[in-house]
Amino acid sequence: MPENLFDLSGKVALVTGANSGLGFGFARGLARAGSDIVIWGRRQEKNEEAATALRAYGVRVVADTVDVASEPAIVAGFSRALEAMGRIDTLVANAGIASQVPFTEMDVARYRQLIDVNLDGAVFTLREGARHMQARAEAGDPGGSLIICGSGSIFQGVPTMAHYGIAKGALNALAKALAAELGRFGVRCNVIAPGFIETEMTFADPEIGRRIADIVASKAPLGRAGTPGDLEGAVVYLASDMAAYHTGDTLVVDGGKMSAN
């Protein structure tokens, strides 16, 4: 039998915002490759639905209700994940929200609402993951993969979504710092930057979502908008031992749109 170079059997992944959309796509890809999964989300019923779907791949799945806008909730949730699984090998900081507001109309409440989840939530989740992976390395078990869900807004301005771009741009910079700081422990940190992906969030307004998807399809060389399944290969690669020398990078998965414009 051919060797499966991307087999994740024996590894454990924690994915935030994993009960739908991009997060579920990341979790599904990891589960399909054999990784056990911890999923975090704010909606318990959706968490359980996602966990049931992931268990169909024959892996252990733990679902936990965690709001990443709260640092204490993150710390407690990570502790529960370790208690349930014993270790975390892959952490995918994905949880996020989106909103639109002209920059000249931005107020503190709307700014902080997004930053609390998209930036601070990822920062403190990554901190807990880094602490665990560093401690494990110091005990003689090095290695780990920190993966951040980025965005095309890291590279291109999106009108009315400056606050979203601020969060994603900061996380892109953070990945470089974590790669430099944690490399001696065998811990890697990379960003996956999706283009427009058709999800529950991007289609919150179906008319606007379809219009954007059609525009993307007309500009992307591959002729369509993305789906969560299009991100599975990237996350499995970065979680695998085949990516052991890959850190501090940003992988763009956008159907070639940015290259063509």
Side-chain angles (χ1 to χ4, degrees):
M1 292 287 291
E3 182 183 3
N4 180 358
L5 298 178
F6 303 99
D7 183 11
L8 300 181
S9 299
K11 294 186 184 293
V12 180
L14 188 159
V15 185
T16 69
N19 61 27
S20 64
L22 299 184
F24 181 74
F26 290 135
R28 182 177 58 201
L30 294 166
R32 289 177 63 191
S35 178
D36 294 328
I37 305 289
V38 177
I39 63 172
W40 284 4
R42 291 188 293 184
R43 296 174 290 177
Q44 184 176 354
E45 183 177 339
K46 290 286 290 182
N47 288 352
E48 292 303 328
E49 289 176 6
T52 297
L54 294 171
R55 290 187 185 110
Y57 297 105
V59 299
R60 293 185 298 156
V61 181
V62 171
D64 198 3
T65 304
V66 178
D67 182 356
V68 299
S70 164
E71 183 196 5
I74 291 170
V75 173
F78 204 91
S79 178
R80 290 192 297 270
L82 290 179
E83 184 177 354
M85 293 294 199
R87 62 187 292 125
I88 300 295
D89 300 282
T90 306
L91 191 158
V92 184
N94 163 79
I97 59 175
S99 62
Q100 293 183 272
V101 56
F103 186 67
T104 52
E105 299 174 17
M106 183 80 68
D107 57 36
V108 170
R110 217 179 294 195
Y111 176 77
R112 284 258 41 111
Q113 181 186 34
L114 185 138
I115 294 297
D116 285 348
V117 175
N118 292 24
L119 179 55
D120 295 353
V123 166
F124 293 117
T125 301
L126 291 161
R127 184 196 65 190
E128 293 305 295
R131 282 176 171 173
H132 164 65
M133 292 174 185
Q134 178 176 325
R136 219 178 56 224
E138 290 171 340
D141 183 15
S145 180
L146 303 173
I147 302 169
I148 298 170
C149 183
S151 163
S153 63
I154 292 169
F155 309 102
Q156 297 177 313
V158 182
T160 73
M161 295 189 71
H163 51 334
Y164 188 87
I166 287 167
K168 294 300 186 181
L171 290 174
N172 201 57
L174 176 63
K176 315 299 183 189
L178 295 184
E181 185 171 335
L182 301 173
R184 64 195 179 98
F185 302 108
V187 177
R188 300 173 289 107
C189 186
N190 293 284
V191 176
I192 297 174
F196 183 83
I197 307 295
E198 297 185 9
T199 67
E200 179 182 296
M201 185 171 77
T202 58
F203 272 65
D205 184 319
E207 183 178 341
I208 294 175
R210 175 46 53 199
R211 186 162 68 244
I212 295 173
D214 289 344
I215 291 170
V216 169
S218 72
K219 294 183 177 181
L222 293 184
R224 62 177 178 86
T227 69
D230 291 319
L231 303 174
E232 292 185 21
V235 76
V236 169
Y237 162 69
L238 290 176
S240 77
D241 294 339
M242 294 303 292
Y245 199 59
H246 196 162
T247 193
D249 194 17
T250 302
L251 300 183
V252 177
V253 184
D254 71 345
K257 180 180 178 296
M258 202 158 59
S259 299
N261 290 281

